[in-house]
Amino acid sequence: MKTNLLPHLQTFLVVARLKSFSAAARELGVTPAAVSQSVRHLEEQLRVVLFTRTTRSMALTEAGRRLLEGAGPGLGQALASLQEVSARPGEAVGRLKLTVPEIAVPFVITPVLPAFRERHPRVEVEVVSENRFVDIVADGYDAGVRLHEAIERDMVQVRLTGAFRFVVVGAPAYFERHGTPQRPEDLLHHECFTIRIPSSGGLYAWELERGKRNWRVPVRGSVVTNNRALMLALVEQGLGLAYAFEPAVKEQLRDGRLMRVLEEYAPTVPGFFLYFPSRAQRSGPLRLFIEVAREFAARTH
């Protein structure tokens, strides 16, 4: 393939990552018309359609998806190599983009990032906090953070935390007024704050277990929110119950603002893991981040 297509390929990859011609134009410092013309030229040379476009949305075609998955990592590595040759011996340069669920940021990113930045100040880090499931290859991420059970089997995984529990919590004032649930089914008669699942639009059913038996309780309440700070503030005021990541409510449990209930049904999960495609290990910034993250995990386990 002619090397004069490389600039058009780079434009395509930016459009695919941002899912927007206008956003790609802003990042590249050109006009939207120039971006559209560049992608059109690439499509003409390859004799395929890379995007389906309407007045309101755009998406990759199957050919576009294959090109993104095949060319994205390679071109990214080539651009990183161009940056690396300008670095002093032993100095790391480049870019690292991570997708991290909001709940994990304080436990796996906030502690690790300062040490990483101190060691590698010329590596640009972008952390996107989002609770939806992300296709890290299609969306242009180097790696992501998830619970172990939510990671695709073909991904490389690096442990970031130890195992922990999810617990049902409420304020003492709530239990004084409404009583304490004794079995998972009792939650159906309590005010429970929950979240909406981004992928399906349905409400999350609280997952409990005891021995070999599992429950998915379709709890309901007057407030649905994906903002955990708001949810916990309402729970602390005695307005309802929450299903919480136990380390995130450690202080409230210690000082008595919150209490655990149904503790014998609390499920344990293996923990948070960094995950990425196996070919991404060639990325220098990602290798260095894994090194720092592993050091932190070893100290805290």
Side-chain angles (χ1 to χ4, degrees), residues 56-112:
R56 294 189 177 183
S57 66
M58 61 170 291
L60 287 167
T61 62
E62 177 61 23
R65 186 189 63 77
R66 291 200 309 270
L67 182 60
L68 174 63
E69 292 181 353
L75 185 58
Q77 185 180 356
L79 294 173
S81 297
L82 292 176
Q83 285 186 302
E84 289 171 5
V85 297
S86 67
R88 295 188 297 272
E91 181 182 45
V93 296
R95 182 173 180 272
L96 179 65
K97 186 176 181 183
L98 304 172
T99 171
V100 186
E102 179 188 7
I103 192 174
V105 171
F107 301 95
V108 301
I109 298 299
T110 303
V112 173

Side-chain angles (χ1 to χ4, degrees), residues 138-204:
D139 290 352
Y141 290 96
D142 296 289
V145 173
R146 282 187 192 169
L147 294 173
H148 171 75
E149 58 267 29
I151 299 174
E152 294 88 346
R153 292 183 179 179
D154 60 346
M155 292 285 173
V156 179
Q157 301 181 32
V158 176
R159 177 179 287 280
L160 297 175
T161 71
F164 53 78
R165 301 190 304 173
F166 281 92
V167 292
V168 178
V169 297
Y174 177 89
F175 297 123
E176 289 174 8
R177 290 195 301 270
H178 303 285
T180 302
Q182 302 297 321
R183 301 174 302 165
E185 306 88 79
D186 294 344
L187 292 170
L188 297 173
H189 307 293
H190 285 266
E191 177 76 3
C192 299
F193 301 134
T194 189
I195 61 173
R196 195 170 297 282
I197 302 170
S199 57
S200 67
L203 295 179
Y204 176 68

Side-chain angles (χ1 to χ4, degrees), residues 41-53:
H41 179 75
L42 184 62
E43 289 178 323
E44 290 172 354
Q45 292 298 308
L46 297 177
R47 298 181 182 179
V48 296
V49 176
L50 299 172
F51 295 102
T52 56
R53 284 163 268 185

Side-chain angles (χ1 to χ4, degrees), residues 174-251:
Y174 177 89
F175 297 123
E176 289 174 8
R177 290 195 301 270
H178 303 285
T180 302
Q182 302 297 321
R183 301 174 302 165
E185 306 88 79
D186 294 344
L187 292 170
L188 297 173
H189 307 293
H190 285 266
E191 177 76 3
C192 299
F193 301 134
T194 189
I195 61 173
R196 195 170 297 282
I197 302 170
S199 57
S200 67
L203 295 179
Y204 176 68
W206 291 3
E207 299 177 69
L208 302 171
E209 63 182 37
R210 187 175 186 180
K212 295 183 179 180
R213 188 175 177 189
N214 299 286
W215 289 260
R216 290 179 58 84
V217 186
V219 298
R220 292 294 182 269
S222 57
V223 175
V224 176
T225 178
N226 66 350
N227 187 299
R228 295 183 181 275
L230 170 61
M231 184 183 296
L232 289 178
L234 296 174
V235 173
E236 286 184 36
Q237 294 176 49
L239 301 179
L241 306 180
Y243 184 78
F245 167 51
E246 192 170 28
V249 292
K250 179 174 60 177
E251 292 184 7

